Amino acid sequence: MNLIQRIILNARIKPLQRMLASQFGNPTGLLGGMLARLMNKGNLIMNTGVVDQMGLTPEHHALDIGFGGGAALGLMLERIKDGKVIGMEMSADMIDKARVTFAEHIKTGRLDLLEGLADSIPLGPSVIDCVSTVNTVYFWPEPMAAFKEILRVLKPGGRLVIGMRPREVMERITLTKYGFTIYDPEDIVRMMDEAGFMEISHVLMKDDEIGYLSIKGMRPTA
Ligand SMILES: C[S@@+](CC[C@H](N)C(=O)[O-])C[C@H]1O[C@@H](n2cnc3c(N)ncnc32)[C@H](O)[C@@H]1O
Protein backbone atom coordinates (compact mmCIF):
# COMPACT_ATOMS: atom_id res chain seq x y z
CA MET A 1 0.00 0.00 0.00
CA ASN A 2 1.46 3.41 -0.93
CA LEU A 3 1.24 6.60 1.12
CA ILE A 4 -1.82 8.03 -0.71
CA GLN A 5 -3.72 4.76 -0.22
CA ARG A 6 -2.82 4.74 3.49
CA ILE A 7 -3.99 8.35 3.93
CA ILE A 8 -7.30 7.67 2.14
CA LEU A 9 -8.08 4.45 4.03
CA ASN A 10 -7.26 5.98 7.42
CA ALA A 11 -8.58 9.54 7.02
CA ARG A 12 -9.13 11.01 10.50
CA ILE A 13 -12.01 13.46 9.86
CA LYS A 14 -15.37 11.71 10.29
CA PRO A 15 -17.37 13.36 7.44
CA LEU A 16 -14.42 12.65 5.13
CA GLN A 17 -14.36 9.00 6.27
CA ARG A 18 -18.12 8.70 5.58
CA MET A 19 -17.77 10.27 2.16
CA LEU A 20 -14.82 8.06 1.16
CA ALA A 21 -16.54 4.93 2.51
CA SER A 22 -19.63 5.63 0.40
CA GLN A 23 -17.39 6.23 -2.65
CA PHE A 24 -15.79 2.79 -2.23
CA GLY A 25 -19.31 1.31 -2.11
CA ASN A 26 -20.51 3.29 -5.14
CA PRO A 27 -17.78 5.34 -6.87
CA THR A 28 -19.11 8.43 -8.67
CA GLY A 29 -17.80 11.61 -10.27
CA LEU A 30 -14.21 12.83 -10.24
CA LEU A 31 -13.36 11.34 -6.85
CA GLY A 32 -14.86 7.99 -7.91
CA GLY A 33 -12.61 8.05 -10.98
CA MET A 34 -9.55 8.68 -8.79
CA LEU A 35 -10.49 5.89 -6.38
CA ALA A 36 -11.06 3.53 -9.32
CA ARG A 37 -7.46 4.11 -10.45
CA LEU A 38 -6.18 3.55 -6.89
CA MET A 39 -8.26 0.36 -6.56
CA ASN A 40 -6.93 -0.95 -9.88
CA LYS A 41 -3.41 -0.66 -8.45
CA GLY A 42 -4.09 -1.59 -4.82
CA ASN A 43 -6.28 -4.59 -5.65
CA LEU A 44 -4.36 -5.90 -8.68
CA ILE A 45 -2.75 -8.86 -6.90
CA MET A 46 -6.11 -9.78 -5.40
CA ASN A 47 -7.96 -9.51 -8.72
CA THR A 48 -5.22 -11.51 -10.46
CA GLY A 49 -5.46 -14.26 -7.80
CA VAL A 50 -9.24 -14.41 -8.10
CA VAL A 51 -9.21 -14.51 -11.91
CA ASP A 52 -6.53 -17.25 -11.78
CA GLN A 53 -8.81 -19.25 -9.43
CA MET A 54 -11.66 -19.08 -11.96
CA GLY A 55 -9.94 -21.59 -14.25
CA LEU A 56 -11.11 -19.74 -17.35
CA THR A 57 -10.89 -21.20 -20.84
CA PRO A 58 -10.88 -19.14 -24.08
CA GLU A 59 -14.54 -20.13 -24.70
CA HIS A 60 -15.93 -19.24 -21.28
CA HIS A 61 -18.66 -16.71 -20.52
CA ALA A 62 -17.56 -14.94 -17.31
CA LEU A 63 -19.19 -12.24 -15.20
CA ASP A 64 -17.45 -9.83 -12.80
CA ILE A 65 -19.82 -8.17 -10.33
CA GLY A 66 -18.80 -4.69 -9.12
CA PHE A 67 -15.81 -4.24 -11.42
CA GLY A 68 -15.01 -0.69 -10.21
CA GLY A 69 -11.97 0.46 -12.22
CA GLY A 70 -12.12 -2.76 -14.28
CA ALA A 71 -8.96 -4.61 -13.12
CA ALA A 72 -10.66 -8.02 -13.31
CA LEU A 73 -12.20 -7.27 -16.73
CA GLY A 74 -8.76 -6.65 -18.26
CA LEU A 75 -7.40 -9.88 -16.78
CA MET A 76 -10.40 -11.89 -18.03
CA LEU A 77 -10.08 -10.43 -21.53
CA GLU A 78 -6.49 -11.73 -21.63
CA ARG A 79 -7.81 -15.27 -21.02
CA ILE A 80 -11.21 -15.35 -22.79
CA LYS A 81 -10.78 -15.00 -26.55
CA ASP A 82 -13.82 -16.71 -28.10
CA GLY A 83 -16.35 -16.49 -25.27
CA LYS A 84 -17.61 -13.36 -23.55
CA VAL A 85 -16.61 -11.18 -20.62
CA ILE A 86 -19.47 -9.41 -18.86
CA GLY A 87 -18.92 -6.63 -16.35
CA MET A 88 -21.78 -5.57 -14.08
CA GLU A 89 -21.81 -2.46 -11.90
CA MET A 90 -24.28 -0.42 -9.88
CA SER A 91 -22.26 2.74 -10.60
CA ALA A 92 -23.21 4.30 -13.95
CA ASP A 93 -19.99 6.37 -13.75
CA MET A 94 -17.81 3.23 -13.51
CA ILE A 95 -19.65 1.84 -16.55
CA ASP A 96 -18.99 5.07 -18.49
CA LYS A 97 -15.31 4.89 -17.55
CA ALA A 98 -15.06 1.23 -18.60
CA ARG A 99 -16.76 2.08 -21.92
CA VAL A 100 -13.78 4.30 -22.70
CA THR A 101 -11.06 2.00 -21.28
CA PHE A 102 -12.38 -1.09 -23.07
CA ALA A 103 -13.89 0.55 -26.18
CA GLU A 104 -12.06 -1.82 -28.54
CA HIS A 105 -13.22 -4.98 -26.72
CA ILE A 106 -16.81 -3.74 -26.64
CA LYS A 107 -16.66 -2.97 -30.38
CA THR A 108 -15.43 -6.48 -31.21
CA GLY A 109 -18.17 -8.02 -29.03
CA ARG A 110 -15.81 -9.60 -26.49
CA LEU A 111 -17.05 -7.45 -23.58
CA ASP A 112 -20.55 -6.44 -22.45
CA LEU A 113 -21.14 -3.93 -19.67
CA LEU A 114 -24.37 -4.04 -17.67
CA GLU A 115 -25.85 -1.82 -15.00
CA GLY A 116 -27.26 -3.96 -12.19
CA LEU A 117 -27.06 -5.18 -8.63
CA ALA A 118 -25.69 -8.41 -7.22
CA ASP A 119 -29.21 -9.35 -6.06
CA SER A 120 -30.81 -8.44 -9.37
CA ILE A 121 -28.61 -9.45 -12.31
CA PRO A 122 -29.98 -8.49 -15.74
CA LEU A 123 -29.19 -11.88 -17.32
CA GLY A 124 -31.21 -15.01 -18.07
CA PRO A 125 -30.78 -18.27 -16.16
CA SER A 126 -27.82 -20.66 -16.62
CA VAL A 127 -25.77 -18.52 -19.02
CA ILE A 128 -22.47 -17.96 -17.15
CA ASP A 129 -19.55 -20.38 -16.65
CA CYS A 130 -17.87 -18.42 -13.89
CA VAL A 131 -18.67 -15.39 -11.72
CA SER A 132 -16.11 -13.33 -9.82
CA THR A 133 -16.56 -10.52 -7.37
CA VAL A 134 -13.75 -8.72 -5.54
CA ASN A 135 -14.15 -6.40 -2.56
CA THR A 136 -17.89 -6.00 -3.07
CA VAL A 137 -19.62 -8.34 -0.58
CA TYR A 138 -19.17 -5.75 2.21
CA PHE A 139 -21.67 -3.50 0.40
CA TRP A 140 -24.41 -5.99 -0.53
CA PRO A 141 -27.62 -5.10 1.33
CA GLU A 142 -29.10 -8.60 0.79
CA PRO A 143 -26.22 -11.09 0.54
CA MET A 144 -28.46 -14.19 0.60
CA ALA A 145 -30.54 -12.81 -2.28
CA ALA A 146 -27.29 -12.09 -4.14
CA PHE A 147 -25.94 -15.64 -3.71
CA LYS A 148 -29.26 -17.08 -4.96
CA GLU A 149 -29.18 -14.70 -7.91
CA ILE A 150 -25.59 -15.68 -8.80
CA LEU A 151 -26.59 -19.34 -8.61
CA ARG A 152 -29.47 -18.60 -11.02
CA VAL A 153 -27.23 -17.10 -13.74
CA LEU A 154 -24.50 -19.78 -13.39
CA LYS A 155 -24.62 -22.82 -15.66
CA PRO A 156 -24.82 -26.19 -13.82
CA GLY A 157 -21.23 -26.88 -12.73
CA GLY A 158 -20.38 -23.16 -13.01
CA ARG A 159 -18.27 -21.49 -10.32
CA LEU A 160 -18.28 -18.40 -8.14
CA VAL A 161 -14.98 -16.98 -6.85
CA ILE A 162 -15.11 -14.23 -4.22
CA GLY A 163 -12.17 -12.07 -3.14
CA MET A 164 -12.44 -10.22 0.16
CA ARG A 165 -10.13 -8.88 2.85
CA PRO A 166 -9.97 -10.72 6.18
CA ARG A 167 -11.70 -9.22 9.25
CA GLU A 168 -8.42 -8.27 10.96
CA VAL A 169 -7.38 -6.25 7.89
CA MET A 170 -10.80 -4.58 7.50
CA GLU A 171 -10.99 -3.64 11.17
CA ARG A 172 -7.62 -1.88 10.92
CA ILE A 173 -8.99 0.43 8.19
CA THR A 174 -10.75 3.39 9.83
CA LEU A 175 -13.38 4.06 7.19
CA THR A 176 -14.82 0.52 7.19
CA LYS A 177 -16.89 1.69 10.21
CA TYR A 178 -19.18 3.43 7.74
CA GLY A 179 -21.43 1.29 5.57
CA PHE A 180 -19.20 -1.80 5.31
CA THR A 181 -20.33 -5.20 6.63
CA ILE A 182 -17.27 -7.18 7.65
CA TYR A 183 -17.51 -10.96 7.26
CA ASP A 184 -15.54 -13.97 8.39
CA PRO A 185 -15.06 -16.55 5.63
CA GLU A 186 -17.34 -18.92 7.58
CA ASP A 187 -20.23 -16.40 7.25
CA ILE A 188 -19.86 -16.40 3.46
CA VAL A 189 -19.48 -20.19 3.31
CA ARG A 190 -22.68 -20.62 5.37
CA MET A 191 -24.68 -18.27 3.13
CA MET A 192 -23.37 -19.91 -0.05
CA ASP A 193 -24.28 -23.32 1.38
CA GLU A 194 -27.81 -22.11 2.29
CA ALA A 195 -28.21 -20.63 -1.19
CA GLY A 196 -27.41 -24.03 -2.75
CA PHE A 197 -23.70 -23.92 -3.71
CA MET A 198 -21.57 -27.06 -3.31
CA GLU A 199 -17.81 -27.76 -3.07
CA ILE A 200 -17.36 -24.54 -1.09
CA SER A 201 -13.84 -23.77 0.07
CA HIS A 202 -11.86 -20.78 1.28
CA VAL A 203 -8.18 -20.01 1.44
CA LEU A 204 -6.13 -17.13 2.84
CA MET A 205 -3.79 -15.85 0.16
CA LYS A 206 -0.70 -14.20 1.62
CA ASP A 207 1.02 -13.16 -1.56
CA ASP A 208 0.51 -9.43 -1.11
CA GLU A 209 1.35 -7.12 1.75
CA ILE A 210 -2.01 -7.45 3.50
CA GLY A 211 -3.43 -10.78 2.37
CA TYR A 212 -6.88 -11.66 1.06
CA LEU A 213 -9.43 -14.46 1.18
CA SER A 214 -10.47 -16.38 -1.88
CA ILE A 215 -13.80 -18.21 -1.45
CA LYS A 216 -15.06 -20.61 -4.10
CA GLY A 217 -18.22 -22.59 -4.73
CA MET A 218 -19.95 -24.46 -7.55
CA ARG A 219 -23.53 -24.67 -8.81
CA PRO A 220 -24.57 -28.32 -8.55
CA THR A 221 -24.75 -30.14 -11.88
CA ALA A 222 -28.18 -31.65 -11.14
C1 LIG B 1 -14.47 -1.41 -3.38
S1 LIG B 1 -15.03 -1.40 -5.03
C2 LIG B 1 -14.14 -2.79 -5.73
C3 LIG B 1 -13.91 -2.65 -7.20
C4 LIG B 1 -13.15 -3.79 -7.87
N1 LIG B 1 -13.88 -5.03 -7.83
C5 LIG B 1 -11.78 -3.97 -7.28
O1 LIG B 1 -11.48 -5.04 -6.73
O2 LIG B 1 -10.96 -3.05 -7.37
C6 LIG B 1 -16.66 -2.01 -4.91
C7 LIG B 1 -17.45 -1.92 -6.20
O3 LIG B 1 -18.63 -2.71 -6.09
C8 LIG B 1 -19.73 -2.00 -6.61
N2 LIG B 1 -20.92 -2.47 -5.87
C9 LIG B 1 -21.22 -2.24 -4.58
N3 LIG B 1 -22.37 -2.84 -4.24
C10 LIG B 1 -22.80 -3.48 -5.34
C11 LIG B 1 -23.95 -4.29 -5.63
N4 LIG B 1 -24.88 -4.54 -4.69
N5 LIG B 1 -24.07 -4.79 -6.87
C12 LIG B 1 -23.14 -4.52 -7.83
N6 LIG B 1 -22.04 -3.76 -7.63
C13 LIG B 1 -21.87 -3.25 -6.40
C14 LIG B 1 -19.41 -0.53 -6.37
O4 LIG B 1 -20.09 0.30 -7.28
C15 LIG B 1 -17.90 -0.50 -6.54
O5 LIG B 1 -17.48 -0.18 -7.83
Side-chain angles (χ1 to χ4, degrees):
M1 219 189 298
N2 66 29
L3 185 65
I4 297 173
Q5 285 165 329
R6 273 180 216 281
I7 291 170
I8 286 179
L9 293 175
N10 293 298
R12 292 265 169 250
I13 309 155
K14 271 192 191 158
L16 182 63
Q17 287 175 356
R18 270 204 194 89
M19 192 257 284
L20 287 168
S22 93
Q23 279 284 343
F24 277 109
N26 184 6
T28 53
L30 224 88
L31 181 56
M34 272 172 56
L35 289 183
R37 276 195 296 279
L38 281 179
M39 289 192 287
N40 275 354
K41 271 194 188 163
N43 298 332
L44 182 61
I45 291 178
M46 194 173 179
N47 275 281
T48 306
V50 165
V51 172
D52 282 347
Q53 294 266 315
M54 294 171 84
L56 297 172
T57 70
E59 297 77 27
H60 268 161
H61 283 56
L63 166 69
D64 185 49
I65 297 177
F67 57 77
L73 300 181
L75 295 161
M76 288 177 176
L77 285 162
E78 286 169 11
R79 292 159 174 80
I80 298 178
K81 300 290 178 196
D82 306 314
K84 176 86 84 178
V85 177
I86 302 168
M88 195 192 75
E89 251 297 336
M90 65 182 278
S91 163
D93 286 1
M94 290 298 101
I95 294 180
D96 286 348
K97 197 170 146 47
R99 274 205 189 103
V100 176
T101 310
F102 298 106
E104 203 49 44
H105 297 105
I106 295 168
K107 207 161 93 189
T108 54
R110 291 178 54 211
L111 173 67
D112 283 350
L113 299 176
L114 306 174
E115 194 168 339
L117 294 166
D119 55 19
S120 165
I121 303 173
L123 288 172
S126 311
V127 290
I128 300 292
D129 296 286
C130 201
V131 173
S132 64
T133 193
V134 180
N135 280 321
T136 71
V137 289
Y138 333 114
F139 309 109
W140 294 354
E142 299 280 353
M144 269 310 292
F147 288 121
K148 286 185 185 157
E149 183 67 344
I150 292 169
L151 207 62
R152 182 186 69 79
V153 301
L154 277 173
K155 295 178 186 173
R159 290 184 186 276
L160 164 66
V161 186
I162 296 171
M164 68 174 204
R165 298 290 183 191
R167 176 180 291 281
E168 55 274 25
V169 172
M170 295 300 281
E171 285 178 347
R172 283 205 307 265
I173 301 170
T174 320
L175 58 79
T176 60
K177 285 193 200 89
Y178 304 97
F180 286 64
T181 304
I182 300 176
Y183 294 104
D184 291 311
E186 293 76 15
D187 301 325
I188 302 291
V189 168
R190 181 183 40 76
M191 285 189 280
M192 286 173 67
D193 180 53
E194 269 176 42
F197 282 89
M198 58 183 286
E199 292 187 12
I200 307 165
S201 62
H202 62 91
V203 60
L204 178 63
M205 309 291 280
K206 288 220 163 198
D207 58 348
D208 71 355
E209 195 188 335
I210 45 181
Y212 65 93
L213 286 153
S214 168
I215 307 173
K216 282 200 287 191
M218 188 181 91
R219 175 175 165 185
T221 44

